[in-house]
């Protein structure tokens, strides 16, 4: 097995998390400040290569009623464009409430407002990735 990478795509940032090689634990890694697609994708490809990541899990921001809006379309477009630059598998994971869960965890950890703003995106990415890892383990079990 090889590690997976989880992404929380925002309009201004991309939260990045990675799993361990056994795909049991997701760990927040970094937040990439979005500029242009080429620069954003280059940074992600760099992380993928350095960490020998086998696949990418993109958070899919569905509406609370399960429908897909403009943000889902944007995420799917990002995946299509990114797949031209990186040959590995890319999948989607329903990310509803991942940022809320990340915010709650950071509040419980008594994290300052400034620090929460710095880490919220990659902590949310770890929630997205952990959900996918847990599901994979359940299906394999």
């Amino acid at each position: 097995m090889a590690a997976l990478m989880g992404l929380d795509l925002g309009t201004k940032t991309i939260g990045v998390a990675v799993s361990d090689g056994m795909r049991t634990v997701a760990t927040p890694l970094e937040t990439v400040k979005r500029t242009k697609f080429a620069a954003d994708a280059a940074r992600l490809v760099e992380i993928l290569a350095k960490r020998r990541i086998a696949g990418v899990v993109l958070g899919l921001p569905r509406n609370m009623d399960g429908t897909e809006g403009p943000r889902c379309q944007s995420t799917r477009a990002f995946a299509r464009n990114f797949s031209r630059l990186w040959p590995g598998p890319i999948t989607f994971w329903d990310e509803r409430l991942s940022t809320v869960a990340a915010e709650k965890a950071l509040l419980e950890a008594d994290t300052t407002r400034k620090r929460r703003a710095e880490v919220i995106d990659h902590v949310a990415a770890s929630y997205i990735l952990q959900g996918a890892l847990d599901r994979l383990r359940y299906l394999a079990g």
Side-chain angles (χ1 to χ4, degrees):
M1 270 202 256
L4 298 177
M5 180 165 76
L7 299 177
D8 180 28
L9 293 178
T11 55
K12 297 179 181 175
T13 60
I14 301 171
V16 181
V18 294
S19 77
D20 60 317
M22 296 300 292
R23 298 184 186 170
T24 54
V25 178
T27 304
L29 184 66
E30 71 177 74
T31 297
V32 176
K33 299 271 189 240
R34 292 190 84 168
T35 55
K36 292 184 178 176
F37 174 79
D40 302 344
R43 176 64 189 134
L44 296 175
V45 168
E46 183 181 320
I47 296 168
L48 289 163
K50 180 179 176 187
R51 294 182 170 265
R52 289 183 236 134
I53 303 289
V56 174
V57 178
L58 276 173
L60 193 62
R62 293 178 191 250
N63 297 321
M64 290 309 291
D65 65 2
T67 59
E68 293 190 9
R71 289 193 57 226
C72 283
Q73 293 171 354
S74 175
T75 299
R76 291 186 186 282
F78 182 93
R80 273 192 308 277
N81 293 332
F82 193 71
S83 69
R84 295 182 186 118
L85 303 173
W86 186 69
I90 300 171
T91 192
F92 301 98
W93 186 258
D94 186 344
E95 72 159 74
R96 281 179 282 188
L97 301 179
S98 63
T99 302
V100 172
E103 181 83 21
K104 184 177 182 215
L106 291 168
L107 284 168
E108 288 173 359
D110 204 25
T111 311
T112 66
R113 180 177 285 130
K114 182 179 181 224
R115 182 71 180 140
R116 279 196 313 270
E118 292 169 356
V119 302
I120 189 71
D121 296 310
H122 56 274
V123 171
S126 74
Y127 272 85
I128 292 164
L129 181 55
Q130 190 65 54
L133 295 173
D134 292 347
R135 180 68 177 159
L136 286 171
R137 198 165 34 263
Y138 173 80
L139 292 173

